[in-house]
Amino acid sequence: MVGLELLDADAARDWMARTAAAVLDERDRLTELDAAIGDGDHGVSMVRGFTAVSAALAAAGELSLPGAVLLLAGRTLVSSVGGASGPLYGSALRAVGKALGDAGGADGKQVGAALGAGRDAIAALGGARGGDKTMLDAWIPAVAGFEFAVAGGGSLDAAAQFAAGAAEGGAEETVPMEARKGRASYLGPRSVGHLDPGAASTVLLFRALADAVG
Amino acid sequence: MVGLELLDADAARDWMARTAAAVLDERDRLTELDAAIGDGDHGVSMVRGFTAVSAALAAAGELSLPGAVLLLAGRTLVSSVGGASGPLYGSALRAVGKALGDAGGADGKQVGAALGAGRDAIAALGGARGGDKTMLDAWIPAVAGFEFAVAGGGSLDAAAQFAAGAAEGGAEETVPMEARKGRASYLGPRSVGHLDPGAASTVLLFRALADAVG
Amino acid sequence: MKKLINSPDEVVTDALAGIAAAHPGLSVDTKARVITRAAQTRIGKVALVSGGGSGHEPLHGGFVGTGMLDAACPGEVFTSPVPDQMLAAAKAVDGGAGVVFVVKNYTGDVLNFRMAAEFAEEEGISVQTVLVDDDVAVQDSTWTAGRRGTGATLLVEKMAGAAAEFGGSLAEVAATGRRVNAASRSFAVALTSCTTPAAGRPGFDLPEDEIEVGVGIHGEPGRSREKIRPARQIVADAMAAILDDQPLDPGEEVIALVNGLGGTPLLELYIVFGEVASVLAARGVRIARSLVGNYVTSLDMAGVSITLCRADEELLTLWDAPVNTPALRWGV
Amino acid sequence: MKKLINSPDEVVTDALAGIAAAHPGLSVDTKARVITRAAQTRIGKVALVSGGGSGHEPLHGGFVGTGMLDAACPGEVFTSPVPDQMLAAAKAVDGGAGVVFVVKNYTGDVLNFRMAAEFAEEEGISVQTVLVDDDVAVQDSTWTAGRRGTGATLLVEKMAGAAAEFGGSLAEVAATGRRVNAASRSFAVALTSCTTPAAGRPGFDLPEDEIEVGVGIHGEPGRSREKIRPARQIVADAMAAILDDQPLDPGEEVIALVNGLGGTPLLELYIVFGEVASVLAARGVRIARSLVGNYVTSLDMAGVSITLCRADEELLTLWDAPVNTPALRWGV
Ligand SMILES: Nc1ncnc2c1ncn2[C@@H]1O[C@H](COP(=O)(O)OP(=O)(O)O)[C@@H](O)[C@H]1O
Ligand SMILES: Nc1ncnc2c1ncn2[C@@H]1O[C@H](COP(=O)(O)OP(=O)(O)O)[C@@H](O)[C@H]1O
Ligand SMILES: [Mg+2]
Ligand SMILES: [Mg+2]
Ligand SMILES: [Mg+2]
Ligand SMILES: [Mg+2]
């Protein structure tokens, strides 16, 4: 099977649909991760958000641009999730959508730049850096991996696969970290030894992208 | 060992002291019985009451009449226990004390009559009858047994032993009863199958009497 | 057992110290165990005294103040107070017009208050007793101890208290209290048991999927044990028990109290109140006034009681009258 | 999990229906999820809007009313509300003089309120944000999310609310809120975890003889786990943490809040208050005003938080000012 060469509106919709399915499947695991070092709502929040995204995209009907799909998805997350992840994921997808602009189909380089804009939006809004034990610790290697693959001549498909793997590695690396941002930071040293829930959901987002373009 | 022929002030004090020791020993059992069909305070209440009785008798110093000892004990129970058992046991011991009048030492017949006055005080105050699953179900056979033994020529000692045994039998008989008075009555049929806590503490009172005069 | 206490024996004493420190408007005699208003009773005003076992806070101490109680006597946890306390309270607050004892119908409370009433009469204080017995979970009969007093106690204390403040005579204030009680019905459901400091463990064990239906406020088991159900159905059953006992016709008005038993979050109490409102709306009964919160509790028990009081103009006037106590305050 | 709910998804909706039915003085938009006063904001009065995850009731909805909040936005349980709610609230209650957002310092609340403030400014509504971060259990640093907002939220809402009612400008009302926050410190201890409807089981397991020290109000574990101790020692440690962070000299005055986390009986809260009073008395610090009860809760969590606010004449005047909300009411 050969992957897509461009991320078009249908692929963007597919990305969101697959993310919605993934967070539904993994809801309880995300909740448990959040219960350990947070307040136990991350699974429910992600499900609520991406269910709303699915509904909003269905209601919007034809959208010809992938950027429009992601802008709407981001706006919907902001309006339906709440918590830390709502504004962060919402702003990230809005930034991705905005970066895609009016391209009807985005190639690997464009998608990589757009994902970078998403990462930057999270950093700008939340003020976290790599190593703070947040979703950024999955976003940063994922985007870096994506861009690295594209720079090396990799296909969109391959880059997305690479990014998902890098996200997973980044998420794993949050386990030994002591949280400095978000709710887990209140635990100080007791936050060590747990996977960050936002990093875990970021893996699902990038895995869904890989599946959507794969 | 031969028992006392008369219940004098020292014996009355001894009765109260032995009751205090017995309810302390059996506190947790009384509480558990009360937790099953009541509110779980009977053990603590009895201990609080008879500890106060011991203190009051110690503070009172010399008391030459058993009636005075029991009047003070009863008054102290009324003032220190609360709940259903405070007024009931308090009035009972006051009635016993009053009935002993100014006798320096009471023989079997006098003691039997006084115990009967105690039983009647409980019935008058609480409005219960035999079979209602209350302390009366131990008091009634205990007094009857006491009087029966005395009428048959039994010693004070023997009568008290007999009364204690009868109290025990009466208490056991509360197990299959459905409560009609006190807190257990709220349970209706669910009160069946449990020993009444007040009947259980009544056994301790009569066993202490038997030990005090034995 | 984990509790914020120093020792099981000192619970009531320590709590009284806290109440004294927290409420300058109250005067707390920690030795006699009597809580009164800091201000003397107005000469000629009928005084209201209530009391009962501790563990039901804010009942009764939290209801001492203008427009409600003049004094409260806290007993040990779940144990009615002793006559000495009630007598001391009556002597402290009698303003010459007599004292109304508000007594929840439990054998212990009834007997101790009865003795106190005798002692008070001996000392020249006129006493009338209002017995509260609103709990429809208990079958009533002359052969039994009768129904328990639960949530309606708050309503009786509020409205009889207002009647006293308005200058009612001893007989009138007592009659108001009895009228409120006669107009009120309650039903309670427990999701968990509660743990007294002395016992140290729950009064009963309740599996993770069962509830006790028809409980009182002392951790006793209820009338039956049932499977947990959605709030809507639990409320429907409780309302059926109340309305079977005292039907309400369309157009009638009630004061509705949704009361937490101590361990249930306010969030859930509001859900219950919403269901109560739906049931009453479907019957055409209007909720004229309401109260949602923890008022008559059972230590840490999770659960709820529902009380409906059939209201009329007079009762609503008494309800709306100013009240200024730690736990209930309006119009002042 | 046993809860008085219909379904985990409907908790907030159903509770809002109950709040609407229970409080005629409030107006509840169940679709937009905004609770406002039934009466329109007086033209020229600064409006106060707060909000946060549900599960902390009566915070915030119970504090909407004269003298306190103009609107509250409840999020899902333990999840901050979304910007749309805050924007809708700001538009509903702006009286032309601007809106103060009272925000507890949690990343979620901060980010959502920040977005809402941007949207509101775009629509021509001036917004000032007061961040509440009173919990000394959390080490403060520019590299972290900083301290949590807990019990002081009530104090900020009360006193900034009074400042708004007195006619303060947007800047003045916000300054008052910030001053109250700066003067306040809190510390909390949990005896049990709590269970969110969605998770269905406790956030953490706590053995029968252990407590979590330094917890927040979202069921997160605290700073450390320790053996259960008598209330006196638990309070001594909590007070030490507070007073280390903000020493109080003899002769100073405080407003003291002893706040139940939801599952702790009032009886125990009074015991805790008594201990707080002892510690302060020993230091020569006077409790000028106090509050004991369940105000800023964490669902069914058993435990307590202590908040001390260093008071002066101005703050006491603001504290004593009339307030008429479901959960706090005096002077009216
Ligand atoms: N300042 C931040 N920057 C980036 N990510 C953050 C920040 N704060 C929190 N997060 C992420 O949000 C996740 C928690 O999301 P969620 O549980 O939905 O929100 P909340 O903490 O409000 O309950 C964390 O696991 C972390 O990855
Ligand atoms: N009306 C009554 N007459 C006689 N005994 C009674 C009556 N009501 C209760 N009792 C006795 O009191 C006992 C309960 O005592 P206790 O637990 O101390 O009081 P409470 O029920 O007030 O908690 C019951 O087991 C029963 O024997
Ligand atoms: Mg979370
Ligand atoms: Mg008992
Ligand atoms: Mg009792
Ligand atoms: Mg959250």
Side-chain angles (χ1 to χ4, degrees), chain B residues 44-60:
Chain B
V44 177
S45 289
M46 294 302 286
V47 168
R48 184 173 60 252
F50 280 94
T51 306
V53 167
S54 301
L57 289 175

PDB file of all heavy atoms in Angstrom, chain B residues 44-60:
ATOM      1  N   VAL B  44     -20.368   2.363  75.002  1.00  0.00           N
ATOM      2  CA  VAL B  44     -19.751   3.608  75.464  1.00  0.00           C
ATOM      3  C   VAL B  44     -20.639   4.290  76.499  1.00  0.00           C
ATOM      4  O   VAL B  44     -20.158   4.828  77.504  1.00  0.00           O
ATOM      5  CB  VAL B  44     -19.495   4.551  74.278  1.00  0.00           C
ATOM      6  CG1 VAL B  44     -18.924   5.867  74.749  1.00  0.00           C
ATOM      7  CG2 VAL B  44     -18.560   3.890  73.288  1.00  0.00           C
ATOM      8  N   SER B  45     -21.936   4.262  76.277  1.00  0.00           N
ATOM      9  CA  SER B  45     -22.859   4.911  77.218  1.00  0.00           C
ATOM     10  C   SER B  45     -22.814   4.242  78.581  1.00  0.00           C
ATOM     11  O   SER B  45     -22.776   4.919  79.619  1.00  0.00           O
ATOM     12  CB  SER B  45     -24.293   4.863  76.665  1.00  0.00           C
ATOM     13  OG  SER B  45     -24.424   5.733  75.566  1.00  0.00           O
ATOM     14  N   MET B  46     -22.837   2.923  78.591  1.00  0.00           N
ATOM     15  CA  MET B  46     -22.823   2.220  79.874  1.00  0.00           C
ATOM     16  C   MET B  46     -21.507   2.458  80.606  1.00  0.00           C
ATOM     17  O   MET B  46     -21.483   2.639  81.831  1.00  0.00           O
ATOM     18  CB  MET B  46     -23.042   0.711  79.646  1.00  0.00           C
ATOM     19  CG  MET B  46     -24.418   0.351  79.100  1.00  0.00           C
ATOM     20  SD  MET B  46     -25.794   0.905  80.143  1.00  0.00           S
ATOM     21  CE  MET B  46     -25.680  -0.258  81.491  1.00  0.00           C
ATOM     22  N   VAL B  47     -20.416   2.464  79.868  1.00  0.00           N
ATOM     23  CA  VAL B  47     -19.121   2.709  80.498  1.00  0.00           C
ATOM     24  C   VAL B  47     -19.075   4.129  81.069  1.00  0.00           C
ATOM     25  O   VAL B  47     -18.650   4.348  82.201  1.00  0.00           O
ATOM     26  CB  VAL B  47     -17.971   2.488  79.490  1.00  0.00           C
ATOM     27  CG1 VAL B  47     -16.660   3.020  80.051  1.00  0.00           C
ATOM     28  CG2 VAL B  47     -17.854   1.011  79.149  1.00  0.00           C
ATOM     29  N   ARG B  48     -19.540   5.092  80.270  1.00  0.00           N
ATOM     30  CA  ARG B  48     -19.547   6.462  80.770  1.00  0.00           C
ATOM     31  C   ARG B  48     -20.391   6.546  82.038  1.00  0.00           C
ATOM     32  O   ARG B  48     -19.989   7.162  83.036  1.00  0.00           O
ATOM     33  CB  ARG B  48     -20.092   7.413  79.707  1.00  0.00           C
ATOM     34  CG  ARG B  48     -20.045   8.873  80.104  1.00  0.00           C
ATOM     35  CD  ARG B  48     -20.441   9.809  78.964  1.00  0.00           C
ATOM     36  NE  ARG B  48     -21.795   9.568  78.495  1.00  0.00           N
ATOM     37  CZ  ARG B  48     -22.109   9.002  77.348  1.00  0.00           C
ATOM     38  NH1 ARG B  48     -21.159   8.630  76.501  1.00  0.00           N
ATOM     39  NH2 ARG B  48     -23.369   8.795  77.011  1.00  0.00           N
ATOM     40  N   GLY B  49     -21.546   5.897  82.035  1.00  0.00           N
ATOM     41  CA  GLY B  49     -22.449   5.972  83.179  1.00  0.00           C
ATOM     42  C   GLY B  49     -21.860   5.334  84.425  1.00  0.00           C
ATOM     43  O   GLY B  49     -21.838   5.951  85.500  1.00  0.00           O
ATOM     44  N   PHE B  50     -21.350   4.125  84.304  1.00  0.00           N
ATOM     45  CA  PHE B  50     -20.886   3.456  85.516  1.00  0.00           C
ATOM     46  C   PHE B  50     -19.523   3.960  85.978  1.00  0.00           C
ATOM     47  O   PHE B  50     -19.176   3.837  87.150  1.00  0.00           O
ATOM     48  CB  PHE B  50     -20.938   1.926  85.344  1.00  0.00           C
ATOM     49  CG  PHE B  50     -22.337   1.403  85.556  1.00  0.00           C
ATOM     50  CD1 PHE B  50     -23.210   1.220  84.495  1.00  0.00           C
ATOM     51  CD2 PHE B  50     -22.805   1.164  86.847  1.00  0.00           C
ATOM     52  CE1 PHE B  50     -24.510   0.785  84.698  1.00  0.00           C
ATOM     53  CE2 PHE B  50     -24.113   0.726  87.072  1.00  0.00           C
ATOM     54  CZ  PHE B  50     -24.968   0.540  86.001  1.00  0.00           C
ATOM     55  N   THR B  51     -18.767   4.560  85.059  1.00  0.00           N
ATOM     56  CA  THR B  51     -17.556   5.251  85.500  1.00  0.00           C
ATOM     57  C   THR B  51     -17.946   6.458  86.350  1.00  0.00           C
ATOM     58  O   THR B  51     -17.342   6.721  87.410  1.00  0.00           O
ATOM     59  CB  THR B  51     -16.737   5.726  84.280  1.00  0.00           C
ATOM     60  OG1 THR B  51     -16.497   4.595  83.438  1.00  0.00           O
ATOM     61  CG2 THR B  51     -15.420   6.340  84.696  1.00  0.00           C
ATOM     62  N   ALA B  52     -18.986   7.140  85.917  1.00  0.00           N
ATOM     63  CA  ALA B  52     -19.484   8.288  86.693  1.00  0.00           C
ATOM     64  C   ALA B  52     -20.038   7.828  88.035  1.00  0.00           C
ATOM     65  O   ALA B  52     -19.847   8.494  89.066  1.00  0.00           O
ATOM     66  CB  ALA B  52     -20.549   9.038  85.895  1.00  0.00           C
ATOM     67  N   VAL B  53     -20.699   6.669  88.035  1.00  0.00           N
ATOM     68  CA  VAL B  53     -21.230   6.139  89.297  1.00  0.00           C
ATOM     69  C   VAL B  53     -20.077   5.855  90.259  1.00  0.00           C
ATOM     70  O   VAL B  53     -20.131   6.225  91.440  1.00  0.00           O
ATOM     71  CB  VAL B  53     -22.058   4.857  89.038  1.00  0.00           C
ATOM     72  CG1 VAL B  53     -22.340   4.117  90.354  1.00  0.00           C
ATOM     73  CG2 VAL B  53     -23.370   5.204  88.327  1.00  0.00           C
ATOM     74  N   SER B  54     -19.040   5.221  89.774  1.00  0.00           N
ATOM     75  CA  SER B  54     -17.884   4.924  90.639  1.00  0.00           C
ATOM     76  C   SER B  54     -17.313   6.209  91.221  1.00  0.00           C
ATOM     77  O   SER B  54     -17.008   6.289  92.413  1.00  0.00           O
ATOM     78  CB  SER B  54     -16.792   4.185  89.857  1.00  0.00           C
ATOM     79  OG  SER B  54     -17.301   2.984  89.335  1.00  0.00           O
ATOM     80  N   ALA B  55     -17.181   7.205  90.367  1.00  0.00           N
ATOM     81  CA  ALA B  55     -16.626   8.483  90.826  1.00  0.00           C
ATOM     82  C   ALA B  55     -17.544   9.135  91.850  1.00  0.00           C
ATOM     83  O   ALA B  55     -17.088   9.652  92.878  1.00  0.00           O
ATOM     84  CB  ALA B  55     -16.412   9.413  89.628  1.00  0.00           C
ATOM     85  N   ALA B  56     -18.840   9.091  91.588  1.00  0.00           N
ATOM     86  CA  ALA B  56     -19.791   9.732  92.503  1.00  0.00           C
ATOM     87  C   ALA B  56     -19.790   9.031  93.858  1.00  0.00           C
ATOM     88  O   ALA B  56     -19.834   9.686  94.904  1.00  0.00           O
ATOM     89  CB  ALA B  56     -21.197   9.707  91.889  1.00  0.00           C
ATOM     90  N   LEU B  57     -19.714   7.712  93.831  1.00  0.00           N
ATOM     91  CA  LEU B  57     -19.719   6.968  95.095  1.00  0.00           C
ATOM     92  C   LEU B  57     -18.427   7.235  95.862  1.00  0.00           C
ATOM     93  O   LEU B  57     -18.438   7.370  97.094  1.00  0.00           O
ATOM     94  CB  LEU B  57     -19.898   5.466  94.831  1.00  0.00           C
ATOM     95  CG  LEU B  57     -21.311   5.065  94.362  1.00  0.00           C
ATOM     96  CD1 LEU B  57     -21.367   3.578  94.000  1.00  0.00           C
ATOM     97  CD2 LEU B  57     -22.347   5.379  95.453  1.00  0.00           C
ATOM     98  N   ALA B  58     -17.325   7.317  95.130  1.00  0.00           N
ATOM     99  CA  ALA B  58     -16.056   7.615  95.797  1.00  0.00           C
ATOM    100  C   ALA B  58     -16.111   9.011  96.419  1.00  0.00           C
ATOM    101  O   ALA B  58     -15.689   9.214  97.560  1.00  0.00           O
ATOM    102  CB  ALA B  58     -14.904   7.522  94.803  1.00  0.00           C
ATOM    103  N   ALA B  59     -16.667   9.947  95.687  1.00  0.00           N
ATOM    104  CA  ALA B  59     -16.745  11.326  96.170  1.00  0.00           C
ATOM    105  C   ALA B  59     -17.699  11.445  97.361  1.00  0.00           C
ATOM    106  O   ALA B  59     -17.512  12.278  98.239  1.00  0.00           O
ATOM    107  CB  ALA B  59     -17.192  12.254  95.047  1.00  0.00           C
ATOM    108  N   ALA B  60     -18.716  10.589  97.357  1.00  0.00           N
ATOM    109  CA  ALA B  60     -19.722  10.685  98.414  1.00  0.00           C
ATOM    110  C   ALA B  60     -19.187  10.193  99.748  1.00  0.00           C
ATOM    111  O   ALA B  60     -19.738  10.481 100.807  1.00  0.00           O
ATOM    112  CB  ALA B  60     -20.958   9.876  98.027  1.00  0.00           C
TER     113      ALA B  60
END
